[in-house]
Amino acid sequence: MSAPLFEGLARSIEGEVLTGAFDRGRYATDASFYQIVPQAVVVPKRFDDVAATLEAARAAGASLTGRGGGTSQAGQTVGPGVVVDFSKHLNGIRHFDVTARRAVVEPGIVLDDLNRKLKPHGLWFPVDVSTASRATIGGMAANNSCGSRSLRYGRMRENVLAIDALLADGTRARFAQTQRSAARANDALGALTSDMLALGAREAEEVAARFPKVQRRVGGYNLDALAPGSDPVNMAHLLVGSEGTLALFESVEIALSPLPGPKALGVCHFPTFRAAMEAAQHLVALGPTAVELVDRTMIALGRDIPVFRPVMEEAVRGDPEALLLVEFGETPEENRRRLDALTQTMADLGYSWGAGGRREGGVVEAVEPAFQARIWDVRTQGLNIMMSMKTEGKPVSFVEDCAVELKDLADFTDRLTALFRRHGTDGTWYAHASVGLLHVRPVLNLKEELGVKALRAIAEEAFDIVAEYKGSHSGEHGDGLVRSEFHEKMFGARLVRAFEAVKDRFDPDAVLNPGKIVRPPKMDDRSLFRWPEGYKAEPRKTAFDWSDWPGGLIGAVEMCNNNGACRKLQGGAMCPSYRATRNERDLTRGRANALRLALTGQLGPDAFASDEMAETMKLCVSCKACQRECPMSVDMAKMKIEVLAARAEKHGLTLRDRLVGYMPRYAAWATRARWLLNLRNRLPFLAKLAQGPTGFAADRALPEWRAPFVEPADDPDPEIVLLADSFNRHFEPENLRDAVAVLRAAGLRVGFARAPKGRPLCCGRTFLSAGLVGEAKAEMARTAAALRPVLERGGAVVGLEPSCLLTFRDEAPRLLPDWPAELGRRVMLLEEFLAPLADRLPLNPLPRRALLHGHCHQKAANVMGPVERLLRAIPGLDLQVIDSSCCGMAGAFGYQVETAEVSRAMAELSLAPAIRAEPDALVVADGTSCRHQIAETTRREALHVASVLRMSLEAAP
């Protein structure tokens, strides 16, 4: 499309037209290994925008590719023309009939979001894909998605009733159930239907002979839906699985199911992988809702990922080669009976605990729902766990969708394993043993020609093996760019020509998502890869030590495989800026793609320190949620610091950067002039005057300077050392005084961390937020030197502010060569130290409700448990933890002119409404920023846990 056409389209639609290199680069990839940079991206606000975009694309001779969550693993959602993102705005429920169990939804609605809205009515949409937190219904229909429980509920095809769609020529049509006799060529849809039914009749024998007889076949077009013998026929089923190549979906009518009853889960352990494959057919005979595989690689990687380690320790016994997760969903009594039958079946197969060798195995039962949920979370994150390997070679998706009959499963997997080993690699296995579909990914390095040659060779032979077993090579994740080329192996030449005839009848000019299903490019065309020939990152001096990743910083950035877990809208904390804006730019994935393209020169010279990169990073609040919740542990907070450091070096600092970064160094002076500086909050005209030069929003009150906390004399022979952070010291000194009182009430002798001379100690975080890494390291080193003697003699250092104290566990070991992680773990939050000693505190009752908001870094470091345990130790206190993401203040973020509104929007996602809903509750928040945001947005005072504990100590018995 030409520039004038872009401009005309931008004027004629309500949505956005994005043409910048950074925006187009963000949409150039999905969860496959492909990368195709589009000419433009359109984010429609209403469906008329989609129609206008299609018209403009046709006029310009450009193609159009629809996109939902952008998590396709076969390259379905990348294209060279215009990419249309349905997910931001076209995500509503148009009609909902509880009695009929039907709903009409827009294509961009996310499955989890839909099911949250259905749950109060006792219903859900049961195609439970593992990417439910970001998969859209439109994308699922386009892909004919399946899910773990397809054994009971079927695929999308069985759950889609009708589709309202936009055809390539601009015609809007409803595809639904119709009588064959009603198909008349008296209008465009009638003529199209008539032609398709005629094609179905013509090819019926070939379809019967060549279509695989397995449940998991989603490849090609659903010509079997057109075959004679079924009347009425549902024309929507031809569009399901068509990957956006036949029409663009305006709405999808879906069948809903009653919420499942209580479930029970048996984790079956096997001493060999083949043993698990042989057992699957016997376990399916017990009538489970799901049988899912977890292989040895996933077990080992899961044990290494902090968020999954606890459940792996609880659910996995010994050292099995494979697990099968067998779920039953009947009545409690029937579930119990089937679990017992499962245990007996395992015994009948010869497996028992303690048997040793090839007989070692058994069942770990999970009856409690929360335990089941934790186990299923490991399975649903299976792909991402597999992709967490910190090596140049990664598990590659191309033969992973193969499905065969259960009786052939063990032999099939043996042959694939042998194939991989002949090419010097091995495969990672997971997925749906219940339906004979196992996602297998050989580990290959596609940056090297040798890896690309292995990709082609393995694909050729693997798909021959699938054809030999009369299986399906597209069992769940579709055809896309990676499997369409091989359709003749499965369907034969005649049916491939029939697929082409369908495409040509619907879309004669190949406008809609060309190259998918029919007339595809070669799957190993490196010009379409995320790592084309010549791909490399230029050497770059970095602030942090990235040596744990191959290639350093670029290796850490490349850990993002575009799986889209950061797009979840509820649960956990990732990614707060995306939740507020729904922009791909403001997403961990979007930032990682921009960084990868910049580091490898694909966005032009010096893109890393450019204004566009600054805009990309602008709404990252450095919450570190991605570090913990991203299965790849993509650490965007540190990557943002790298960008800030590069910009500071190239462009220098703004006044605001200096005011924020150097705060610990001028704080002592500021507290002496506090009466003058605090006038800014009291006199609105001063805030407005200061807004321009400082960049702080006039309508947001800055923290007020106070008479600072001054460390008293140490207790004799102190047992614990308190490190006073800059924020509590200068803005909320009462929190530090409360902490001292609480520590002493526990019978502890308290000392204080002091600098040998000069100003107080500081963690250096404010300097990091301005990109002043050298200054930050100097501050950290100064504080580390003061803390080291205490820690090396076995003592502990405690403090109050999570962002400061946890710096010594996270950033410091990667910035200071002589600061080992073991020392950092001994720098503790107050509640971490006190929680095991709670019974030493003479706590009195506080008979009231309390709401706890966790600081993002507490969550990222997995240290929310101690503060919860301490608060629950207070008699009478009814504690509820707010399910919230980042509060939105995030240091200076909430005060900045350009981010203040997004900051408020983040607070309004869940935190502020939860607090307003309970006006009499005590509000607890350990983060300084969190307390200020709560005060600003709810007019409520939030307290540090130290203050709540002191309140309890001083309450009447």
Side-chain angles (χ1 to χ4, degrees):
M1 295 176 76
S2 64
L5 274 172
F6 288 138
E7 294 165 6
L9 182 60
R11 287 193 299 269
S12 67
I13 68 172
E14 293 182 24
E16 302 164 79
V17 179
L18 309 175
T19 58
F22 274 70
D23 282 317
R24 293 185 295 115
R26 277 185 276 269
Y27 282 88
T29 51
D30 52 16
S32 70
F33 56 80
Y34 294 106
Q35 174 178 294
I36 302 175
V37 180
Q39 296 178 52
V41 176
V42 171
V43 184
K45 203 163 188 178
R46 54 197 181 98
F47 196 76
D48 285 348
D49 291 350
V50 179
T53 303
L54 175 60
E55 184 179 352
R58 285 179 58 82
S63 63
L64 189 151
T65 297
R67 179 177 172 118
T71 59
S72 296
Q73 292 174 31
Q76 290 97 320
T77 59
V78 294
V82 181
V83 170
V84 179
D85 182 350
F86 285 80
S87 67
K88 183 175 181 179
H89 298 295
L90 301 181
N91 51 28
I93 298 177
R94 291 190 171 186
H95 178 70
F96 176 34
D97 188 330
V98 176
T99 304
R101 296 179 186 165
R102 295 185 174 198
V104 178
V105 301
E106 293 179 327
I109 192 168
V110 171
L111 176 58
D112 270 357
D113 194 29
L114 171 64
N115 279 333
R116 277 191 289 270
K117 294 171 181 176
L118 296 176
K119 187 175 181 179
H121 304 280
L123 298 171
W124 74 315
F125 186 65
V127 185
D128 57 336
V129 294
S130 62
T131 53
S133 64
R134 59 270 196 199
T136 63
I137 295 297
M140 291 168 62
N143 211 48
N144 198 7
S145 296
C146 303
S148 298
R149 296 174 179 85
S150 65
L151 191 64
R152 173 159 296 187
Y153 295 105
R155 304 162 296 172
M156 282 297 291
R157 176 174 167 177
E158 286 76 51
N159 291 275
V160 169
L161 303 173
I163 296 175
D164 287 297
L166 178 71
L167 297 177
D169 64 0
T171 301
R172 291 189 181 184
R174 179 172 177 79
F175 291 79
Q177 186 170 281
T178 184
Q179 297 292 331
R180 289 177 177 272
S181 58
R184 297 285 185 269
N186 51 6
D187 61 22
L189 179 60
L192 180 61
T193 301
S194 180
D195 288 349
M196 289 300 99
L197 292 177
L199 184 149
R202 185 175 70 245
E203 303 297 340
E205 289 186 10
E206 192 74 0
V207 167
R210 296 303 299 254
F211 267 40
K213 306 300 189 294
V214 293
Q215 190 215 41
R216 290 301 192 89
R217 186 219 39 93
V218 302
Y221 294 124
N222 291 325
L223 300 185
D224 53 335
L226 306 172
S230 57
D231 198 12
V233 63
N234 194 328
M235 291 300 293
H237 292 174
L238 182 60
L239 297 187
V240 172
S242 63
E243 301 186 0
T245 62
L246 303 182
L248 297 168
F249 300 168
E250 180 174 5
S251 65
V252 183
E253 184 174 354
I254 52 178
L256 309 176
S257 295
L259 281 171
K263 294 188 283 286
L265 183 65
V267 183
C268 299
H269 291 54
F270 295 91
T272 67
F273 185 83
R274 182 178 176 90
M277 298 300 93
E278 289 175 335
Q281 57 192 311
H282 303 291
L283 304 186
V284 167
L286 299 174
T289 54
V291 181
E292 295 290 295
L293 169 71
V294 175
D295 83 340
R296 182 181 182 84
T297 303
M298 194 194 300
I299 294 169
L301 291 170
R303 284 170 165 164
D304 286 341
I305 298 173
V307 72
F308 296 127
R309 188 178 300 125
V311 69
M312 299 303 289
E313 291 173 353
E314 191 176 357
V316 182
R317 184 170 169 177
D319 194 26
E321 287 289 322
L323 307 173
L324 289 178
L325 310 182
V326 183
E327 181 192 79
F328 302 105
E330 314 300 332
T331 64
E333 297 77 18
E334 181 61 17
N335 287 342
R336 178 69 265 167
R337 190 190 71 76
R338 295 197 191 191
L339 271 182
D340 292 341
L342 179 65
T343 300
Q344 184 60 51
T345 300
M346 288 291 287
D348 292 344
L349 293 172
Y351 303 110
S352 60
W353 299 120
R358 290 183 174 269
R359 297 292 100 194
E360 180 67 24
V363 181
V364 171
E365 294 185 359
V367 178
E368 198 266 320
F371 184 27
Q372 293 180 38
R374 292 196 301 274
I375 294 172
W376 277 117
D377 192 35
V378 174
R379 163 56 198 97
T380 57
Q381 294 290 352
L383 163 62
N384 302 317
I385 292 172
M386 296 297 194
M387 298 298 289
S388 67
M389 297 177 178
K390 292 180 180 178
T391 56
E392 287 282 13
K394 292 285 193 295
V396 179
S397 170
F398 63 110
V399 296
E400 75 162 17
D401 252 18
C402 301
V404 297
E405 293 187 50
L406 280 177
K407 64 182 178 61
D408 299 322
L409 195 56
D411 289 340
F412 173 66
T413 54
D414 275 356
R415 291 180 67 180
L416 277 192
T417 297
L419 168 62
F420 300 155
R421 288 176 180 167
R422 285 201 304 276
H423 289 278
T425 187
D426 214 331
T428 60
W429 302 82
Y430 67 103
H432 318 296
S434 58
V435 289
L437 186 145
L438 294 177
H439 296 321
V440 55
R441 293 189 169 205
V443 178
L444 299 171
N445 181 3
L446 295 188
K447 296 178 185 177
E448 297 180 349
E449 189 62 31
L450 189 64
V452 178
K453 288 181 177 178
L455 176 85
R456 162 62 63 176
I458 291 172
E460 294 276 5
E461 191 169 343
F463 294 147
D464 283 341
I465 296 172
V466 174
E468 183 181 330
Y469 283 107
K470 300 189 184 305
S472 167
H473 64 235
S474 288
E476 180 173 29
H477 294 152
D479 298 331
L481 294 167
V482 79
R483 280 182 285 274
S484 297
E485 177 190 347
F486 300 98
H487 278 339
E488 285 201 18
K489 287 181 183 287
M490 182 162 77
F491 296 110
R494 177 169 174 169
L495 285 184
V496 169
R497 302 292 87 76
F499 294 158
E500 292 171 354
V502 172
K503 170 68 172 175
D504 292 344
R505 180 62 179 84
F506 272 83
D507 180 22
D509 297 322
V511 174
L512 299 178
N513 209 16
K516 323 298 168 27
I517 300 181
V518 300
R519 304 185 183 97
K522 292 290 184 182
M523 57 89 75
D524 55 340
D525 180 348
R526 287 195 71 180
S527 69
L528 305 178
F529 279 22
R530 200 182 299 189
W531 311 281
E533 289 187 66
Y535 175 94
K536 69 174 184 176
E538 294 299 320
R540 169 172 289 279
K541 177 184 174 184
T542 60
F544 290 98
D545 175 10
W546 297 97
S547 59
D548 285 354
W549 291 267
L553 175 58
I554 184 62
V557 170
E558 288 171 345
M559 288 299 292
C560 177
N561 67 343
N562 281 17
N563 68 77
C566 42
R567 288 175 66 94
K568 62 184 179 182
L569 299 174
Q570 284 191 18
M574 179 178 69
C575 175
S577 50
Y578 173 74
R579 293 183 184 189
T581 70
R582 300 286 187 94
N583 290 328
E584 183 73 18
R585 179 194 63 197
D586 305 321
L587 184 66
T588 305
R589 179 179 74 179
R591 296 179 185 115
N593 277 321
L595 287 169
R596 179 178 54 81
L597 293 168
L599 287 168
T600 55
Q602 297 180 71
L603 293 175
D606 206 22
F608 192 77
S610 67
D611 291 344
E612 292 90 346
M613 185 63 77
E615 192 69 16
T616 297
M617 292 292 175
K618 183 173 74 174
L619 298 188
C620 174
V621 291
S622 300
C623 66
K624 302 188 183 182
C626 49
Q627 184 189 82
R628 176 172 172 78
E629 296 175 27
C630 170
M632 310 294 101
S633 297
V634 173
D635 194 343
M636 193 53 61
K638 288 193 187 73
M639 295 172 186
K640 180 178 181 179
I641 291 170
E642 297 285 1
V643 172
L644 292 172
R647 284 188 60 79
E649 183 176 351
K650 181 177 180 181
H651 301 290
L653 299 175
T654 65
L655 174 59
R656 185 174 66 202
D657 292 334
R658 295 181 184 279
L659 289 172
V660 172
Y662 285 91
M663 186 274 285
R665 296 196 184 166
Y666 66 75
W669 172 87
T671 56
R672 289 194 290 271
R674 58 186 179 274
W675 63 271
L676 178 62
L677 295 177
N678 291 340
L679 284 176
R680 184 261 182 203
N681 287 348
R682 291 166 174 73
L683 301 175
F685 79 93
L686 287 180
K688 289 179 181 177
L689 281 175
Q691 178 172 292
T694 66
F696 293 125
D699 61 348
R700 299 220 73 169
L702 297 176
E704 299 216 343
W705 297 97
R706 304 270 298 283
F709 173 81
V710 178
E711 290 87 348
D714 291 358
D715 292 337
D717 190 20
E719 302 169 82
I720 187 74
V721 170
L722 179 67
L723 173 61
D725 62 274
S726 298
F727 303 107
N728 281 295
R729 178 188 296 276
H730 297 107
F731 302 122
E732 298 176 274
E734 63 277 6
N735 293 335
L736 290 162
R737 291 191 285 269
D738 291 343
V740 174
V742 171
L743 289 167
R744 286 175 173 162
L748 296 164
R749 298 182 300 278
V750 182
F752 300 89
R754 295 181 175 86
K757 59 181 179 178
R759 57 191 167 74
L761 298 172
C762 170
C763 68
R765 176 155 296 284
T766 59
F767 288 111
L768 289 178
S769 70
L772 297 169
V773 177
E775 300 288 354
K777 289 169 71 172
E779 290 295 327
M780 285 182 195
R782 182 169 170 266
T783 303
L787 303 183
R788 186 182 294 275
V790 178
L791 300 172
E792 287 182 343
R793 65 172 180 260
V797 174
V798 301
L800 304 189
E801 173 57 35
S803 63
C804 294
L805 272 290
L806 296 173
T807 296
F808 291 96
R809 293 188 201 175
D810 189 2
E811 289 88 355
R814 292 195 175 274
L815 287 174
L816 303 179
D818 59 345
W819 181 260
E822 309 87 72
L823 287 185
R825 285 192 286 271
R826 303 264 297 287
V827 180
M828 307 170 72
L829 292 172
L830 174 75
E831 56 266 27
E832 289 183 275
F833 184 81
L834 278 180
L837 309 175
D839 58 351
R840 295 170 57 172
L841 288 167
L843 298 170
N844 294 308
L846 288 179
R848 60 186 301 186
R849 178 84 152 166
L851 302 176
L852 172 63
H853 166 68
H855 187 285
C856 292
H857 295 186
Q858 282 177 296
K859 296 172 184 174
N862 197 28
V863 292
M864 279 295 291
V867 68
E868 291 182 46
R869 289 196 295 274
L870 265 184
L871 290 169
R872 294 188 195 282
I874 298 174
L877 194 68
D878 176 19
L879 180 67
Q880 177 183 333
V881 180
I882 302 172
D883 184 9
S884 54
S885 184
C886 179
C887 72
M889 188 59 80
F893 180 87
Y895 302 112
Q896 298 173 158
V897 171
E898 67 274 21
T899 54
E901 282 309 307
V902 173
S903 163
R904 292 187 179 99
M906 290 181 188
E908 295 297 337
L909 289 171
S910 58
L911 175 60
I915 291 173
R916 292 192 199 104
E918 303 215 34
D920 298 323
L922 194 67
V923 182
V924 188
D926 280 357
T928 299
S929 293
C930 306
R931 292 191 294 274
H932 283 258
Q933 180 77 312
I934 289 167
E936 280 267 316
T937 57
T938 69
R939 303 295 180 229
R940 298 274 290 284
E941 180 186 19
L943 302 176
H944 192 281
V945 67
S947 300
V948 179
L949 291 170
R950 185 169 188 178
M951 185 187 301
S952 173
L953 291 170
E954 295 178 353

